[in-house]
Amino acid sequence: MHINLRRYLKRIHIRLIVFLLGILLGLLFSLFPLVGTLVSVAAHDSSPPLMVEELSNTAQQEQQGRQYYEAGQFLAAIKIWQQALQIYQSQENRLNQARVLNNISLSYQQLGQWLEASQAISASLKLLPAKGSSTPTELTVLAQTLNTQGSLELATGKSEAALATWQQATATYTKAESQIGVIRSLINQSQALKSLGLYRRALSTLTQVNQILQKQPDSAIKTAGLRSLGSSLRLVGNLEQAKQVLQQSLAIAQKLQSPLDISAALIDLGNVSRANQDSESALAFYQQATAIAPSRILKMRSQLNQLSILLDRQQWTSAQTIWSQIQPQLANLPSSRGAIYAQLNLAQSLIRLQQANLPDAPTTTSIAQLVANNLQQAKTLGDQQAEAYALGKLGRLYEQNQQWKIAQELTQQALVLAQAINTPEIAYRWQWQLGRLLKVQGDMQGAIAAYTQAVNTLQSLRTDLVAIDPDIQFSFRDSVEPVYRELVSLLLKPDNSQPSQKSLTQARQVIESLQLAELDDFLREACLDKKYTQIDQLDPLAAVIYPIILADRLEVILSLPQQPLRHYATVLPENQLESLIEKLRKNLVIRSKQNFLTLSQQVYDLLIRPVETELATSGIKTLVFIPDGVFRNIPIAALHDGNQYLIEKYSIALTPSLQLLPPKRLQQRNFKVLSAGLTEARQGFSPLDYVEAELKEIKSEVSSTVLLNQEFTSNNLKDYLKSSFFPIVHIATHGKFSSKAMETFILAWDERIRINELDNLLQIPEQKKRQTVELLVLSACETATGDKRAALGLAGIAVRAGANSTLATLWSVNDEATANLMRYFYKNLSSTQQTKAEALRRAQIALLKDPQYEHPVYWAPYILVGNWL
């Protein structure tokens, strides 16, 4: 079946939020549904006396349908509401018909039956007066129906239409003087804006929601609204504000003494802590929620989240204790999608518990029985989405039991079903699983085809992967990264045969895609919305090197201009390679010793030695590395061939992807620099004595505007960039690169400028119409110690800032050495026609030749990320 995944990828946000808030929070759905809106029974004041009793019975039917809906029994809800619809049709009650059809459409959406959902909502809208509606009841029903239409449009990939519909809903709620409706539709608008990649507008809309909510009196509606807002803020990556909003929601719930709202807010606060990688706080929130949760599903949800964290931390005994608490509850869970997903996630955790080989761990048979029961429940409910998930999970169990054929059959059934209902977030898992099964059975071509489908599906989901919720136990490191690496491993076969050019080209594309996906996960949004011509095609003197870390070996792909791709490999387990790189990094910063040389030569032998001759004979001047994993943490310039450093032979640049930046060379003539720096101690950071000298050195070489100490505030920096165009922005201040976005920042006089604020500073709207910053220099930053993925923060800053190139440091450098290097760099940049990479190389060599600074600790940590031209 051919599916245009691009058209369907955006509905995941909606499904997840409707699922989480609408089902897992049970009765709260009727208080404050985020996207779909169940419409309550309308007023019947004008009904003839003989119809009153019938209307009362019909209202009871509708309430029963609502109860089925909130329990996740959508087919049962539809059946009841269709009966009510027939009664309203016989009475020619158009408003109530429209209202019930709206609810029926919502149920069909939950089941993934888009055609039936569309027919129901279209019929509902036809019954309503689009113009001339005057009563508050008519306006409210119309607005709620528009809300439902918007959720359907977003679910089927029509993001722009959904945004327009929800804007219309907001206007209608405003006419009806329903502030809660306005809040609901604005939150929906933020989901559509995010799906369109308009993150700033999405955050602006959520800020507007917060302002409205703050004016509301404390109530159950307000606490639920704040909770919805907090979840939305978390999903767009604004974790600090999400925490504040959810804490306010919790405080109101505690004031109202509502256990349901208290436990729901605690779970969401736990999710924020987990997103912040603070598992200790997350556990505490989940434990509090478990103690107070009034409903079975809420209690189990918090316990499942605890179990998942304990397994991540390998606290096996505590995990077994939680499992023993969960087990007796299973028989009493209602038959609903929420319960099915909870138990399927439990099965996933139980598999991990079983693999720890602990006494009294659950058996494969018991886990399989749990999944099989859930599969039957999904079929009974007619819930194809839950059925596809359960089938695939059952296939996974058979895979682990090495029953390949049965596992393959179940996986293929799950995949066909997931594709039929257009759920790529589920389909990619079963494409991946099918690839593994085909590989172990020796069908390599079939395995590559299945893996390729999985990667293509993941590519279509890029902007939504960041929003996958902890409640469905998503982890980038466990659920996404292995798909890419395993496909590359298949394409670059570890046997004696050489891969074809087609396979090498695909492997190169896949590893670049992984780099981008990892940045998306780090930044909590898609970092690339359009593709440029690959920049290496415009530089005939550049070679591109892809080191690829696989579980059992290091693969390297070399791209030389106008030549076929080359590839070479070294059998070296991942943990041994990481140990080697970490030792090199630690030794490079010990200025009193030369212990790094042997390690540096070992890494040189892995990356460069096999192609030394090809590089020399091809006339290469620049080496561009697409560094993978721990390779980001070391300065490639310091690799040594036994006679000289790599920087002495080649200019060096790094980039997460060749497609990230436009192919543009810096204009050497008459460029201006905006310099900013701190010399004084601020916010617990030590003074930087040579920064003033550094900025003076730069000013002596090029035209510069200098902001020093008190003048270097974030607002001042923004104002200067807004008033005039500066091709180069040079910031000499403390900064830290971390694998956590919230801990990646640069220090201004008044505050820490965090990574998610950088593009707002450097990409002013007026400036966007002209040019973006061509080079951002960060001359006193460092990567977080003990963090294997810390340099991801450096790449993240480079991308988020929007500058074509970023020059930064891997560790903090002697201030005087930095001042000298920057003077050489700007002199080369302004007085020659050299590339940025060559200007940096010459500056590094000038320092290297100075006996005072010949150790790599002084000149090696400067790395150029992005466009090297």
Side-chain angles (χ1 to χ4, degrees), residues 584-720:
L584 173 58
R585 168 61 190 262
K586 287 177 182 176
N587 281 276
L588 277 170
V589 296
I590 303 174
R591 62 195 69 193
S592 60
K593 297 181 180 179
Q594 297 285 318
N595 295 353
F596 66 86
L597 267 176
T598 301
L599 299 166
S600 178
Q601 289 170 20
Q602 289 179 36
V603 179
Y604 180 94
D605 291 342
L606 292 172
L607 296 183
I608 307 299
R609 187 82 67 189
V611 289
E612 275 182 328
T613 303
E614 288 89 336
L615 292 173
T617 57
S618 298
I620 294 300
K621 300 294 184 186
T622 303
L623 301 182
V624 181
F625 287 83
I626 315 290
D628 188 24
V630 290
F631 281 111
R632 300 188 192 105
N633 291 341
I634 59 168
I636 302 294
L639 299 189
H640 202 277
D641 66 0
N643 296 309
Q644 58 184 341
Y645 292 103
L646 190 60
I647 195 67
E648 295 182 78
K649 295 192 286 187
Y650 301 103
S651 303
I652 293 169
L654 312 179
T655 181
S657 168
L658 292 180
Q659 299 176 31
L660 265 178
L661 299 164
K664 181 179 180 182
R665 185 183 290 271
L666 180 65
Q667 300 299 313
Q668 269 88 4
R669 297 287 179 261
N670 301 320
F671 60 67
K672 296 187 298 180
V673 177
L674 177 62
S675 299
L678 298 179
T679 61
E680 299 180 19
R682 297 295 294 173
Q683 300 180 40
F685 288 88
S686 60
L688 295 168
D689 298 331
Y690 282 88
V691 161
E692 188 170 4
E694 176 184 335
L695 301 187
K696 284 182 179 178
E697 295 280 13
I698 295 169
K699 193 166 187 176
S700 69
E701 298 293 343
V702 295
S703 173
S704 298
T705 299
V706 178
L707 306 176
L708 192 63
N709 292 326
Q710 292 93 331
E711 294 180 335
F712 174 27
T713 64
S714 56
N715 283 336
N716 217 12
L717 182 66
K718 185 174 182 177
D719 289 343
Y720 271 90

Side-chain angles (χ1 to χ4, degrees), residues 478-493:
D478 298 332
S479 302
V480 174
E481 189 173 339
V483 186
Y484 289 86
R485 294 198 186 279
E486 289 166 19
L487 174 55
V488 170
S489 184
L490 279 171
L491 291 166
L492 302 179
K493 308 167 190 172

Side-chain angles (χ1 to χ4, degrees), residues 279-333:
S279 59
E280 201 68 47
S281 295
L283 269 178
F285 282 125
Y286 294 145
Q287 287 165 351
Q288 291 176 63
T290 301
I292 198 173
S295 71
R296 294 190 187 101
I297 196 69
L298 266 181
K299 183 177 181 179
M300 177 168 282
R301 181 184 170 202
S302 57
Q303 287 175 317
L304 286 173
N305 287 349
Q306 288 179 62
L307 179 59
S308 176
I309 289 178
L310 291 169
L311 291 171
D312 288 342
R313 296 170 63 167
Q314 298 186 353
Q315 294 178 233
W316 308 119
T317 304
S318 299
Q320 278 192 303
T321 301
I322 290 289
W323 158 231
S324 67
Q325 294 169 3
I326 292 172
Q327 192 172 15
Q329 303 174 48
L330 295 177
N332 298 320
L333 283 177

